[in-house]
Amino acid sequence: MQTGSTCQFTGGCTTPGRSTLPPTLCQELDDFVADLPTREGHLVTVLHKAQQLFGYLPREVQQYVADLMGVSLAKVYGVASFYTFFSMVPKGKYPISICMGTACYVKQAHKVVDAFKDILGVEIGQVTSDGKFSIDVLRCVGACALAPILTVGEKVYAHVTPDQVKEIVAEY
Ligand code: FES
């Protein structure tokens, strides 16, 4: 399991045992959980919200969610590590997620990945030095007719070729 040493949050929450998370984000997550009809069965939903707010799910955020939901840190970690859409490491401002499922791979997704790596100078799972981009690969995202497919943040790009990568990066 990841340790707290990688947390990038500073100057935040002063609640004992709740690390240094930004209080405004903690409050937003508190409010989100308070609005749920029940906490049971909503751990994935809450982790989604936490990732949306904090950008990723370091140990501090997992612990905060565990406290909020009344479950163990081990349970939160189990869920967060099971789903590929959860990340425990920081992502870029514009996270690039490239599908490497079979259909996308057959249509040269690996070459698209290589093109991003070359242009951005980072490997899969890394963030560019300016914090702008990160690259991740995913298993099939269920849109094989659009292969190869990728997302930059919320924006979807379909039928991407390696030649288009430079153009895509230039949009941000
Ligand atoms: S393999 Fe990429 S969407 Fe299915």
Side-chain angles (χ1 to χ4, degrees), residues 126-145:
Q126 293 182 338
V127 183
T128 53
S129 56
D130 60 1
K132 208 166 167 189
F133 296 101
S134 53
I135 307 175
D136 282 300
V137 296
L138 307 171
R139 292 185 286 240
C140 177
V141 294
C144 304

Side-chain angles (χ1 to χ4, degrees), residues 93-152:
K93 183 176 179 191
Y94 303 105
I96 299 163
S97 300
I98 305 159
C99 179
M100 283 281 270
T102 306
C104 287
Y105 187 88
V106 166
K107 296 217 171 168
Q108 311 294 302
H110 55 295
K111 291 189 177 169
V112 173
V113 172
D114 288 344
F116 274 109
K117 282 163 53 175
D118 285 350
I119 288 172
L120 298 176
V122 290
E123 295 296 316
I124 292 164
Q126 293 182 338
V127 183
T128 53
S129 56
D130 60 1
K132 208 166 167 189
F133 296 101
S134 53
I135 307 175
D136 282 300
V137 296
L138 307 171
R139 292 185 286 240
C140 177
V141 294
C144 304
L146 304 177
I149 186 168
L150 63 90
T151 56
V152 181

